[in-house]
Amino acid sequence: MLKAILSSVVVFMAMASSEAAIKTENVDYKEGKTALEGFVAYDDSVKTPRPAVLIIHQWMGLSDNEKMRAQMLAEKGYVAFAVDIYGKGVRPTSMEEAGKLAGQYKNDRKLYRARGQAAFDWLKKNKMVDAKHIVVIGYCFGGTGALELGRAGVPAAGFVSFHGGLSNPTPADAKNFKAPVLIAHGALDKGVNPEVMPFMREMDENKVDYQFVSYSGAVHAFTQKGAGNDPSKGVAYNEKADHRSWAHFMDFLSEVAPIKK
Amino acid sequence: MLKAILSSVVVFMAMASSEAAIKTENVDYKEGKTALEGFVAYDDSVKTPRPAVLIIHQWMGLSDNEKMRAQMLAEKGYVAFAVDIYGKGVRPTSMEEAGKLAGQYKNDRKLYRARGQAAFDWLKKNKMVDAKHIVVIGYCFGGTGALELGRAGVPAAGFVSFHGGLSNPTPADAKNFKAPVLIAHGALDKGVNPEVMPFMREMDENKVDYQFVSYSGAVHAFTQKGAGNDPSKGVAYNEKADHRSWAHFMDFLSEVAPIKK
């Protein structure tokens, strides 16, 4: 009898958790007059406002990578919004094109901030979202964007860069960070390495709350499965660094924007 | 009826977990002819071999700090051995004395390694211990010791330094690390900061698997409550860095020496 009741409890609990159906939708929104198209994932069974994660894409624009992360985060209970910096339909098809486009935003931080701000505002107004607990994250090019939103004083609950560029044309803006920062950095990322010391100096001087993690053996793009497996090319997937940085990101979320159970 | 049965299940589970009584004992052991006195903590209700953690003390010698960590680790299921580097009864009573004693071992890495090895051997032979899953950790002076055991080729499952010195008189020995390394470093640790770049270079050159975490605002001894709260003194407790580095250590243990449930 006890066994029977206990196993029905287990079955019931399994049903309850499988009811946690993740919904995903494309999202049309705007920055000024520019049409943008993002992607949101959330657990439709949750009825109360909950923390959110804003995900900024790498240089190829919003891709399956960010959508996969949004899905993973929605399964953890977050509203996850994979945003669009480039504009609806603007999706580079070559690395050359991606480099050009990313460079445009890296050289116009004001525009980059505005695009990120528009996405942040969309999340903030969303009824599913606990607006005090929005964490901004980004990959490669998007890591730079996540930091740029912090430097713009956006009232997020945290900022995370995965193998993002750390350059900052306006170092004094580091004082505007309003929440903790997590940097997941590939120790062998040749492009970003020269930016590490100036970055840490500006963060220290402005007393920003940060954690900086270097993962050995990891080069640029270490969380991106599509980046191949040859670190000698300067970009490559690194499974260990991917899993470890994700675990560190989960610790960070538990601290700055925990899901209430 | 269901309610009644479920609540007895809950009561039963609570009893089972409170039965997990942690035992602690002083341990007499030797390195050569030198008598040493460590401290072991373990869950007496566990009957099968389990992973272990070897804890090397800071410069004041084996103290309540390491015993507290041993207790915390035993509660997680580890056999935790807080070791004695200096010798039975050799416990500095002033910082001057501690500095002298720690300096002696930092200048005689062969002796330091031998003392650590003796503790490792004690754990390895202990019937409670799964000898393939021993993780070596250390605080301040002891962080250096943990790394030194890695450089000696000790077959541990991992090595962790909390605000430890990173200097290495024999950089080529970095090739001997047989397991992953986690460095928890205070970003404002003035004593250790000059050692960071050479350390990372030797770790990279020897392809050691490591994670290096810098915690903002943290100075030397950031996990030690007795270190006070004034970072301008160069040593101070930092609650955020303490909690974050402990969480990162837990992630590390889950990876290299998980407790089977």
Side-chain angles (χ1 to χ4, degrees):
Chain A
M1 175 61 178
L2 174 62
K3 243 187 174 172
I5 289 176
L6 279 181
S7 58
S8 16
V9 171
V10 170
V11 168
F12 173 74
M13 286 170 69
M15 279 171 60
S17 91
S18 77
E19 269 171 27
I22 303 305
K23 278 212 172 180
T24 63
E25 289 159 18
N26 292 326
V27 173
D28 282 299
Y29 67 111
K30 281 190 169 183
E31 182 275 303
K33 289 179 178 168
T34 307
L36 302 159
E37 187 181 35
F39 171 92
V40 68
Y42 56 94
D43 179 342
D44 198 34
S45 71
V46 179
K47 298 303 177 198
T48 49
R50 72 212 83 158
V53 180
L54 186 164
I55 307 166
I56 308 180
H57 54 73
Q58 31 61 52
W59 69 343
M60 298 299 287
L62 176 50
S63 75
D64 285 347
N65 268 313
E66 295 79 39
K67 292 179 182 179
M68 181 257 294
R69 298 299 180 183
Q71 181 90 23
M72 288 167 79
L73 288 163
E75 282 162 13
K76 303 243 169 237
Y78 294 89
V79 175
F81 185 29
V83 312
D84 175 17
I85 299 297
Y86 291 161
K88 183 166 180 163
V90 183
R91 300 290 182 264
T93 53
S94 67
M95 292 206 279
E96 200 193 334
E97 213 184 313
K100 223 168 160 177
L101 208 46
Q104 189 184 318
Y105 290 86
K106 283 188 130 175
N107 292 323
D108 185 350
R109 301 286 173 116
K110 205 177 143 192
L111 176 62
Y112 200 169
R113 289 180 184 191
R115 291 286 161 88
Q117 180 76 54
F120 189 83
D121 292 343
W122 183 88
L123 261 183
K124 210 172 63 178
K125 284 178 199 148
N126 190 303
K127 282 182 183 158
M128 293 187 293
V129 173
D130 165 5
K132 288 192 173 159
H133 292 96
I134 301 172
V135 174
V136 179
I137 77 171
Y139 294 90
C140 299
F141 165 73
T144 308
L147 295 174
E148 209 53 56
L149 285 191
R151 294 167 188 146
V154 166
F159 302 89
V160 183
S161 164
F162 293 93
H163 42 78
L166 303 170
S167 72
N168 180 5
T170 54
D173 284 359
K175 70 178 178 301
N176 298 326
F177 275 101
K178 291 193 166 53
V181 177
L182 173 66
I183 305 294
H185 171 69
L188 304 183
D189 188 330
K190 283 188 186 164
V192 176
N193 270 340
E195 300 167 357
V196 171
M197 293 307 287
F199 173 78
M200 291 184 80
R201 201 177 312 126
E202 86 199 25
M203 297 292 268
D204 286 336
E205 279 170 3
N206 290 285
K207 298 193 180 354
V208 184
D209 178 346
Y210 72 84
Q211 300 170 77
F212 191 107
V213 195
S214 288
Y215 301 94
S216 68
V219 297
H220 198 58
F222 63 79
T223 69
Q224 310 282 301
K225 286 194 179 152
N229 291 306
D230 181 2
S232 76
K233 291 190 173 157
V235 292
Y237 180 66
N238 182 310
E239 192 178 13
K240 272 188 185 171
D242 180 19
H243 291 173
R244 290 167 176 176
S245 61
W246 187 258
H248 293 156
F249 173 41
M250 291 299 108
D251 292 333
F252 183 80
L253 281 182
S254 306
E255 180 190 322
V256 302
I259 294 291
K260 280 163 198 149
K261 308 246 163 158
Chain B
M1 174 62 179
L2 174 60
K3 244 185 173 173
I5 289 177
L6 278 182
S7 56
S8 15
V9 171
V10 169
V11 169
F12 174 75
M13 286 170 69
M15 280 171 60
S17 91
S18 77
E19 272 173 24
I22 304 305
K23 279 214 173 177
T24 63
E25 289 159 18
N26 291 326
V27 174
D28 281 300
Y29 66 112
K30 282 190 170 185
E31 182 274 302
K33 289 179 180 169
T34 307
L36 303 159
E37 187 180 35
F39 171 91
V40 69
Y42 56 94
D43 180 341
D44 198 36
S45 71
V46 179
K47 299 301 175 200
T48 49
R50 73 213 83 161
V53 180
L54 186 162
I55 307 166
I56 308 180
H57 53 74
Q58 31 61 53
W59 69 344
M60 299 299 288
L62 176 50
S63 74
D64 285 347
N65 268 313
E66 294 78 39
K67 292 179 181 178
M68 183 255 296
R69 299 301 180 182
Q71 182 88 21
M72 289 167 78
L73 288 162
E75 281 162 14
K76 302 241 169 238
Y78 294 90
V79 175
F81 185 29
V83 311
D84 174 17
I85 298 297
Y86 292 160
K88 184 165 181 163
V90 184
R91 300 290 182 267
T93 53
S94 68
M95 290 206 280
E96 200 192 334
E97 211 185 315
K100 223 167 160 180
L101 208 46
Q104 189 183 318
Y105 289 86
K106 283 186 128 176
N107 291 325
D108 185 351
R109 302 287 174 115
K110 204 177 146 192
L111 175 62
Y112 200 169
R113 290 181 184 190
R115 291 285 161 90
Q117 179 77 54
F120 189 84
D121 291 343
W122 183 88
L123 262 182
K124 211 174 63 180
K125 283 178 201 148
N126 190 302
K127 281 182 183 161
M128 294 187 292
V129 173
D130 165 6
K132 289 194 172 157
H133 292 95
I134 301 173
V135 174
V136 179
I137 77 170
Y139 294 89
C140 299
F141 164 74
T144 308
L147 295 174
E148 209 52 57
L149 285 191
R151 293 168 187 145
V154 166
F159 302 89
V160 183
S161 164
F162 293 93
H163 42 79
L166 304 170
S167 72
N168 181 3
T170 52
D173 283 359
K175 69 178 179 301
N176 298 327
F177 274 101
K178 291 192 166 53
V181 178
L182 173 65
I183 306 294
H185 172 69
L188 304 183
D189 188 330
K190 283 186 184 163
V192 177
N193 270 340
E195 300 167 356
V196 171
M197 294 306 288
F199 173 78
M200 291 185 79
R201 200 177 313 122
E202 88 200 24
M203 296 292 268
D204 287 337
E205 279 171 4
N206 289 286
K207 296 193 181 359
V208 184
D209 179 345
Y210 72 85
Q211 300 170 76
F212 191 107
V213 195
S214 288
Y215 300 94
S216 68
V219 296
H220 198 57
F222 63 78
T223 69
Q224 310 282 302
K225 285 192 179 154
N229 291 304
D230 181 2
S232 75
K233 292 190 173 156
V235 291
Y237 180 64
N238 183 310
E239 191 178 15
K240 271 187 186 172
D242 180 20
H243 291 172
R244 290 167 176 175
S245 61
W246 186 258
H248 292 155
F249 173 41
M250 291 299 107
D251 292 334
F252 183 81
L253 280 183
S254 307
E255 181 190 321
V256 302
I259 295 291
K260 279 163 199 147
K261 309 244 162 160

